[in-house]
Amino acid sequence: MPSRTPYVAANWKMHKTVAEAAEFVDALLPRIAATQSDVVICPGFTALAEVVERRRGTAVKVAAQNMHEEEWGAFTGEVSAPMLAELDVEAVILGHSERRQYFNETDEALARKVPAALAHDLEPILCVGESEAARDAEETDEVLERQLQTDLGGLEPDQIAGVVVAYEPIWAIGTGRTATPEQAQEACAFIRDVLRARGAAAGEVRILYGGSVKPANAAEILSQPDVDGALVGGAALDPGEFAAIVDAA
Ligand code: PEP
């Protein structure tokens, strides 16, 4: 089986000013100096440049939390892939459930955003995941398959290995309710099967779990064979907690 470097990403959501972001990075870097994992920080737009500069010379990557699919145009308030690439940002979260829920992010828009990110050498961190109602109705696989088929619909099979997929059950995000390691494994393995059926080199794709990951539960979740890392929200606001999750990977 091809080896997949563990991948741990800090999604700060709408937290941290530039000064707070700088303080976090300075506190984090010495704590993770020995890690072999890919570590990614996802600040708000205003702190991207500061985090890029502070981590220069390290292996830490920087990701935006969203982008528009067009390169330029009359889209007030939006930011495009070339704008992010110019800052030396390396990745971008796409399809986070908060964007789907509060900002009408659609799978059809994601089908355009994912190739637009890749075209500018931005690694898409594509988030998929079911609602509590869908899980209760035993529709988790159906939801995941629909999201993946549409969101990755604009890619050739060989491009899919360049995407990081984050399985984020909506009921576990910011709620303190974590999926069990078995639920995380089952969903991540299903995602890998869907990617394989699309013709992708699915053994090479990093698939993350996200949803109330904390230092106390990270090791067990991350030890599952198809869980290659974590997308972390709340616990990624504190450098000590985030470093402990990186250690667990
Ligand atoms: C997230 O924002 O992607 C997330 C998983 O948040 P939390 O860790 O707070 O549940």
Side-chain angles (χ1 to χ4, degrees), residues 11 13 96 98 168 172-175 210-214 231-235:
N11 175 18
K13 314 192 186 200
H96 192 281
E98 289 154 12
E168 295 218 311
I173 297 176
T175 59
S212 300
V213 175
K214 308 271 178 251
L231 180 54
V232 188

mmCIF file of all heavy atoms in Angstrom, residues 11 13 96 98 168 172-175 210-214 231-235, ligand 1:
data_model
loop_
_atom_site.group_PDB
_atom_site.id
_atom_site.type_symbol
_atom_site.label_atom_id
_atom_site.label_comp_id
_atom_site.label_asym_id
_atom_site.label_seq_id
_atom_site.Cartn_x
_atom_site.Cartn_y
_atom_site.Cartn_z
ATOM 1 N N ASN A 11 -8.050 24.690 11.180
ATOM 2 C CA ASN A 11 -9.018 25.613 10.592
ATOM 3 C C ASN A 11 -9.439 26.620 11.659
ATOM 4 O O ASN A 11 -10.205 26.290 12.556
ATOM 5 C CB ASN A 11 -10.245 24.833 10.096
ATOM 6 C CG ASN A 11 -11.328 25.761 9.575
ATOM 7 O OD1 ASN A 11 -11.054 26.934 9.267
ATOM 8 N ND2 ASN A 11 -12.545 25.257 9.464
ATOM 9 N N LYS A 13 -11.262 29.196 11.270
ATOM 10 C CA LYS A 13 -12.570 29.834 11.003
ATOM 11 C C LYS A 13 -12.413 31.354 11.170
ATOM 12 O O LYS A 13 -11.371 31.890 10.822
ATOM 13 C CB LYS A 13 -13.633 29.263 11.926
ATOM 14 C CG LYS A 13 -13.599 27.741 12.005
ATOM 15 C CD LYS A 13 -14.791 27.161 12.673
ATOM 16 C CE LYS A 13 -14.589 25.666 12.843
ATOM 17 N NZ LYS A 13 -15.817 24.949 13.056
ATOM 18 N N HIS A 96 -16.432 23.566 3.078
ATOM 19 C CA HIS A 96 -16.662 23.358 4.522
ATOM 20 C C HIS A 96 -18.166 23.456 4.791
ATOM 21 O O HIS A 96 -18.869 24.251 4.185
ATOM 22 C CB HIS A 96 -15.902 24.415 5.331
ATOM 23 C CG HIS A 96 -15.865 24.094 6.789
ATOM 24 N ND1 HIS A 96 -16.939 24.332 7.615
ATOM 25 C CD2 HIS A 96 -14.907 23.527 7.561
ATOM 26 C CE1 HIS A 96 -16.625 23.927 8.843
ATOM 27 N NE2 HIS A 96 -15.401 23.446 8.834
ATOM 28 N N GLU A 98 -19.802 24.778 7.064
ATOM 29 C CA GLU A 98 -20.314 26.104 7.447
ATOM 30 C C GLU A 98 -20.541 26.963 6.214
ATOM 31 O O GLU A 98 -21.467 27.789 6.173
ATOM 32 C CB GLU A 98 -19.348 26.766 8.441
ATOM 33 C CG GLU A 98 -19.412 26.079 9.794
ATOM 34 C CD GLU A 98 -18.161 26.188 10.644
ATOM 35 O OE1 GLU A 98 -17.270 26.992 10.322
ATOM 36 O OE2 GLU A 98 -18.077 25.436 11.639
ATOM 37 N N GLU A 168 -16.111 15.249 7.243
ATOM 38 C CA GLU A 168 -16.531 16.055 8.383
ATOM 39 C C GLU A 168 -18.035 15.895 8.604
ATOM 40 O O GLU A 168 -18.834 16.652 8.020
ATOM 41 C CB GLU A 168 -16.207 17.527 8.119
ATOM 42 C CG GLU A 168 -14.725 17.814 8.019
ATOM 43 C CD GLU A 168 -14.379 19.139 8.661
ATOM 44 O OE1 GLU A 168 -15.059 20.139 8.361
ATOM 45 O OE2 GLU A 168 -13.471 19.178 9.472
ATOM 46 N N ALA A 172 -20.805 16.530 14.121
ATOM 47 C CA ALA A 172 -19.631 16.447 15.003
ATOM 48 C C ALA A 172 -18.810 17.741 14.991
ATOM 49 O O ALA A 172 -17.860 17.867 15.759
ATOM 50 C CB ALA A 172 -18.750 15.271 14.587
ATOM 51 N N ILE A 173 -19.181 18.697 14.130
ATOM 52 C CA ILE A 173 -18.348 19.899 13.990
ATOM 53 C C ILE A 173 -18.738 20.933 15.041
ATOM 54 O O ILE A 173 -19.877 21.398 15.072
ATOM 55 C CB ILE A 173 -18.476 20.494 12.575
ATOM 56 C CG1 ILE A 173 -17.959 19.481 11.558
ATOM 57 C CG2 ILE A 173 -17.704 21.798 12.472
ATOM 58 C CD1 ILE A 173 -18.119 19.926 10.138
ATOM 59 N N GLY A 174 -17.777 21.246 15.889
ATOM 60 C CA GLY A 174 -17.980 22.273 16.905
ATOM 61 C C GLY A 174 -18.984 21.882 17.974
ATOM 62 O O GLY A 174 -19.439 22.734 18.742
ATOM 63 N N THR A 175 -19.352 20.615 18.047
ATOM 64 C CA THR A 175 -20.394 20.189 18.985
ATOM 65 C C THR A 175 -19.819 19.450 20.185
ATOM 66 O O THR A 175 -20.532 19.198 21.157
ATOM 67 C CB THR A 175 -21.369 19.201 18.290
ATOM 68 O OG1 THR A 175 -20.605 18.074 17.823
ATOM 69 C CG2 THR A 175 -22.078 19.853 17.118
ATOM 70 N N GLY A 210 -12.614 15.185 10.410
ATOM 71 C CA GLY A 210 -12.786 16.435 11.150
ATOM 72 C C GLY A 210 -14.094 16.408 11.903
ATOM 73 O O GLY A 210 -15.122 15.942 11.381
ATOM 74 N N GLY A 211 -14.073 16.913 13.123
ATOM 75 C CA GLY A 211 -15.279 16.958 13.956
ATOM 76 C C GLY A 211 -14.904 16.722 15.401
ATOM 77 O O GLY A 211 -14.776 15.586 15.835
ATOM 78 N N SER A 212 -14.668 17.839 16.127
ATOM 79 C CA SER A 212 -14.358 17.787 17.566
ATOM 80 C C SER A 212 -13.144 16.921 17.891
ATOM 81 O O SER A 212 -13.125 16.218 18.902
ATOM 82 C CB SER A 212 -15.598 17.341 18.361
ATOM 83 O OG SER A 212 -16.659 18.264 18.163
ATOM 84 N N VAL A 213 -12.122 16.989 17.012
ATOM 85 C CA VAL A 213 -10.857 16.317 17.344
ATOM 86 C C VAL A 213 -10.158 17.116 18.439
ATOM 87 O O VAL A 213 -10.070 18.342 18.382
ATOM 88 C CB VAL A 213 -9.941 16.200 16.098
ATOM 89 C CG1 VAL A 213 -8.582 15.625 16.485
ATOM 90 C CG2 VAL A 213 -10.602 15.329 15.036
ATOM 91 N N LYS A 214 -9.679 16.395 19.458
ATOM 92 C CA LYS A 214 -8.997 17.001 20.614
ATOM 93 C C LYS A 214 -7.758 16.164 20.905
ATOM 94 O O LYS A 214 -7.674 15.003 20.463
ATOM 95 C CB LYS A 214 -9.897 16.931 21.861
ATOM 96 C CG LYS A 214 -11.300 17.463 21.697
ATOM 97 C CD LYS A 214 -11.372 18.945 21.997
ATOM 98 C CE LYS A 214 -12.778 19.485 21.784
ATOM 99 N NZ LYS A 214 -12.965 20.342 20.661
ATOM 100 N N LEU A 231 -8.707 17.457 10.292
ATOM 101 C CA LEU A 231 -8.997 18.882 10.108
ATOM 102 C C LEU A 231 -9.581 19.325 11.446
ATOM 103 O O LEU A 231 -10.601 18.796 11.894
ATOM 104 C CB LEU A 231 -9.996 19.081 8.958
ATOM 105 C CG LEU A 231 -10.409 20.512 8.629
ATOM 106 C CD1 LEU A 231 -9.213 21.418 8.368
ATOM 107 C CD2 LEU A 231 -11.310 20.530 7.377
ATOM 108 N N VAL A 232 -8.899 20.265 12.084
ATOM 109 C CA VAL A 232 -9.201 20.596 13.474
ATOM 110 C C VAL A 232 -9.687 22.040 13.575
ATOM 111 O O VAL A 232 -9.038 22.948 13.066
ATOM 112 C CB VAL A 232 -7.928 20.420 14.348
ATOM 113 C CG1 VAL A 232 -8.276 20.580 15.820
ATOM 114 C CG2 VAL A 232 -7.256 19.083 14.090
ATOM 115 N N GLY A 233 -10.825 22.248 14.232
ATOM 116 C CA GLY A 233 -11.355 23.600 14.424
ATOM 117 C C GLY A 233 -11.010 24.118 15.810
ATOM 118 O O GLY A 233 -9.924 24.642 16.047
ATOM 119 N N GLY A 234 -11.926 23.927 16.752
ATOM 120 C CA GLY A 234 -11.784 24.513 18.090
ATOM 121 C C GLY A 234 -10.435 24.253 18.752
ATOM 122 O O GLY A 234 -9.814 25.180 19.302
ATOM 123 N N ALA A 235 -9.968 23.016 18.707
ATOM 124 C CA ALA A 235 -8.720 22.677 19.391
ATOM 125 C C ALA A 235 -7.493 23.221 18.663
ATOM 126 O O ALA A 235 -6.376 23.118 19.179
ATOM 127 C CB ALA A 235 -8.601 21.159 19.564
HETATM 128 C C1 PEP B 1 -13.845 22.239 11.431
HETATM 129 O O1 PEP B 1 -14.023 23.430 11.532
HETATM 130 O O2 PEP B 1 -13.565 21.773 10.339
HETATM 131 C C2 PEP B 1 -13.958 21.401 12.622
HETATM 132 C C3 PEP B 1 -13.797 20.106 12.486
HETATM 133 O O3 PEP B 1 -14.239 22.016 13.812
HETATM 134 P P1 PEP B 1 -14.176 21.370 15.290
HETATM 135 O O4 PEP B 1 -12.854 20.674 15.403
HETATM 136 O O5 PEP B 1 -14.291 22.531 16.226
HETATM 137 O O6 PEP B 1 -15.324 20.414 15.396
#
